């Protein structure tokens, strides 16, 4: 890729290049977070809700001030 060799990390992201294309992931970051909170031996779990459910606005719900959740 360059004189420095193959790109593996960029801005905290892991880069894996192969014949099928370029794959960007954060596996190391995820492992580090799990280790930090002593959850490295936790079992993986699937997404707890349906992944094909369409979400829409709750027109009848109580309005929320979004500034409470912004940084």
């Amino acid at each position: 890729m360059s004189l420095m060799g193959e790109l593996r990390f960029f801005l905290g992201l892991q880069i894996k290049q192969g014949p099928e294309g370029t794959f960007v992931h954060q596996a190391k970051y995820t492992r580090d977070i799990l280790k930090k909170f002593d959850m490295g031996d936790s079992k993986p779990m699937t997404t707890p809700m349906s992944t094909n459910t369409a979400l829409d606005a709750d027109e009848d719900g109580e309005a929320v001030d979004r500034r409470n959740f912004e940084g």
Side-chain angles (χ1 to χ4, degrees):
M1 181 151 190
S2 72
L3 294 176
M4 295 174 48
E6 183 180 1
L7 179 66
R8 294 181 189 242
F9 287 95
F10 182 73
L11 297 176
L13 299 171
Q14 288 175 263
I15 314 293
K16 181 172 173 98
Q17 298 176 0
E20 64 279 350
T22 302
F23 182 65
V24 180
H25 61 96
Q26 291 184 299
K28 182 181 181 317
Y29 172 76
T30 304
R31 280 192 306 272
D32 291 345
I33 292 294
L34 289 171
K35 186 185 292 185
K36 178 179 179 178
F37 292 100
D38 197 28
M39 296 178 66
D41 295 329
S42 299
K43 292 187 238 173
M45 184 175 178
T46 58
T47 304
M49 66 181 281
S50 175
T51 56
N52 55 4
T53 301
L55 301 177
D56 57 1
D58 183 7
E59 301 296 338
D60 299 328
E62 183 179 334
V64 175
D65 185 0
R66 74 171 194 233
R67 291 176 291 184
N68 293 334
F69 304 99
E70 294 177 347

